[in-house]
Amino acid sequence: MRNSEILLLGGPNSGKTHYAGQLFGRLKRRPGKLKIRTGDGASVNLSALEDVLTQLEDGNSAEHTHADQYSEILFPLIDSNQISIDLYWPDYGGEQLYQVFKQREISSDWRRRLQSTDGWLIFIRLSGEKTYPDALSKLTSIPTNTPNETSRPEIWDANVYWIELLQMLCHVAGLNLSSKENKPPLAIVLSCFDEVLEEGQLPSEALKSKLPLFYSFIQTTWPNEITSIWGVSSLGKTLQPNSNDDDFIDEGPEYQGWVIAPEQSNKDSDLTAPLSWMLDNI
Ligand SMILES: Nc1nc2c(ncn2[C@@H]2O[C@H](COP(=O)(O)OP(=O)(O)O)[C@@H](O)[C@H]2O)c(=O)[nH]1
Ligand SMILES: [Mg+2]
């Protein structure tokens, strides 16, 4: 049996928990290539995900994972070739990642995690990423009447944030940034993709248009064949804690949500696809 660890990277509110809940529903009720493995003593506690799924069955969104909450999600899986895989997926209040960036310090937990994982899964919710595309033109224009112009944005440009964060994580993981060698497979999940969906656009084009610097950083540091960029909408739409959405209630959460695979522009209902890709490339 292979024991694969996948590191989940993503800020707060990027859709990690709803994706995990929907993944659980799919694996349980509409298994495709991957199934949850049972009967060989694999012990698993997916009660947190049961709770998410229960909320979704009522057509409502689930509660936010708090900053101090850390759950280790372990999916005992078996694939269509009868290969057993224990997918270990740490889920946490995404603030932890922001602290890493802000304090320039990586805890021993994170260090261990970074050094031992087989693949990296990055969640980026494009609709919430802040960029300052006009900053450069402001810098180059000659200021006329700007007394006391000392205010600076509180939030970093998302290009800079992601590049710097990945540089720090690579450094700690012992990965060389000046060559493409020895990198783990990297899946970039553009989450809540329903919010930014443009007909006919590839996920990579969406990333390139919103975060061009980060996109070219990935292209120059990660080998193309082990990089994939996905558009993922776990819910297919926006839900509130009190939506009571009819589609979710009538058809079931396992029939909601979709994925747009790399180099594609059509939706597919297999939410497990980014993980299958990951497991095929580990
Ligand atoms: N529009 C839309 N909203 C989503 C989707 N997935 C999650 N959300 C919403 O995004 C917010 C954050 O989701 P959550 O899974 O808790 O993010 P986490 O903090 O990364 O675990 C919640 O309000 C969800 O209802 C989606 O696929 N589409
Ligand atoms: Mg969460």
Side-chain angles (χ1 to χ4, degrees), residues 38 94 211 226:
T38 51
L211 301 176
I226 54 162

Side-chain angles (χ1 to χ4, degrees), residues 59-80:
N60 300 323
S61 64
E63 257 185 66
H64 177 62
T65 320
H66 297 289
D68 51 356
Q69 200 171 324
Y70 179 84
S71 58
E72 302 179 336
I73 299 172
L74 180 81
F75 284 116
L77 299 175
I78 187 154
D79 78 1
S80 50

Side-chain angles (χ1 to χ4, degrees), residues 11-19 61-65 91-92 94 125 191-195 232-239:
N13 222 30
S14 57
K16 302 182 300 296
T17 300
H18 284 82
Y19 178 69
S61 64
E63 257 185 66
H64 177 62
T65 320
D91 188 19
Y92 51 86
R125 184 177 187 172
S191 55
C192 308
F193 206 62
D194 54 290
E195 297 172 326
V232 173
S233 174
S234 317
L235 306 179
K237 59 171 83 168
T238 300
L239 287 186

